[in-house]
Amino acid sequence: MDNSSLQSMAELNQARHAPEARELWSDTEGQISNAGLYLLCLLTFWLVVPVLYAGWRYLWTARHRYTLTDQRLLIESGVLVRDMESLELYRVRDLSVQGTLLQTLVGRGRIVLQTTDVTTPVVSLNAISNAKAVAQLVRDAVERCRVDKGVRAFDV
């Protein structure tokens, strides 16, 4: 056997014996993010298309799920076809908490993660309940993951 196949077999064996990821937090995107659309549909309820679109947005938002484990952030979305995006926590560089006035009034907010991931350099968790506490949970999980993997973040 050559060196690369031995290395591949070792990685597979290590993955089999790796501890399962522990779920720390899970939530869906809040429907408050569709409040403007729902108001518009209420004003134009006699038209069929806005009501159908509002129903679609309701389903889309209800099926948009965020799950934080001790190793990665998983984002599931889609109504008919499910899509799952995975972000390794050690790739998170910075995070911030934002929110609109309406989101703040109902106790929700947006968490924006700046990452070193090539495919998704910015990840936004929209309309999260108790966004400040969740952001602190994400930050703590990122730090623990970096320590466990021996990864350091450098600013260039």
Side-chain angles (χ1 to χ4, degrees):
M1 293 187 131
D2 65 355
N3 207 11
S4 63
S5 54
L6 285 176
Q7 185 178 10
S8 297
M9 288 175 56
E11 288 173 357
L12 282 173
N13 194 25
Q14 184 180 18
R16 281 189 205 126
H17 298 296
E20 285 293 315
R22 191 171 48 99
E23 185 175 305
L24 302 175
W25 169 83
S26 184
D27 198 4
T28 60
E29 182 176 335
Q31 292 291 339
I32 196 70
S33 61
N34 296 326
L37 174 68
Y38 294 155
L39 180 63
L40 180 66
C41 289
L42 186 66
L43 296 174
T44 60
F45 67 91
W46 64 89
L47 300 173
V48 177
V49 174
V51 174
L52 291 175
Y53 183 68
W56 178 259
R57 284 299 301 173
Y58 175 82
L59 288 174
W60 180 267
T61 303
R63 302 273 298 171
H64 200 132
R65 180 158 209 75
Y66 305 110
T67 304
L68 177 69
T69 69
D70 57 352
Q71 298 175 12
R72 61 187 55 90
L73 175 68
L74 305 169
I75 303 171
E76 295 178 68
S77 61
V79 176
L80 300 176
V81 178
R82 299 294 284 165
D83 183 34
M84 179 179 277
E85 177 75 28
S86 176
L87 172 68
E88 296 291 333
L89 289 181
Y90 67 85
R91 293 186 182 272
V92 175
R93 274 193 340 213
D94 192 25
L95 66 97
S96 63
V97 178
Q98 304 169 351
T100 64
L101 177 63
L102 186 58
Q103 285 179 348
T104 305
L105 289 175
V106 296
R108 295 202 170 248
R110 179 184 309 120
I111 301 172
V112 179
L113 305 171
Q114 303 289 330
T115 72
T116 59
D117 192 34
V118 177
T119 58
T120 51
V122 177
V123 175
S124 181
L125 310 174
N126 196 22
I128 300 298
S129 62
N130 202 0
K132 289 181 183 177
V134 173
Q136 185 62 42
L137 184 67
V138 170
R139 184 186 178 288
D140 293 343
V142 166
E143 292 302 319
R144 276 194 308 272
C145 186
R146 283 186 181 156
V147 168
D148 291 346
K149 293 194 181 289
V151 176
R152 288 187 178 166
F154 293 104
D155 291 330
V156 180

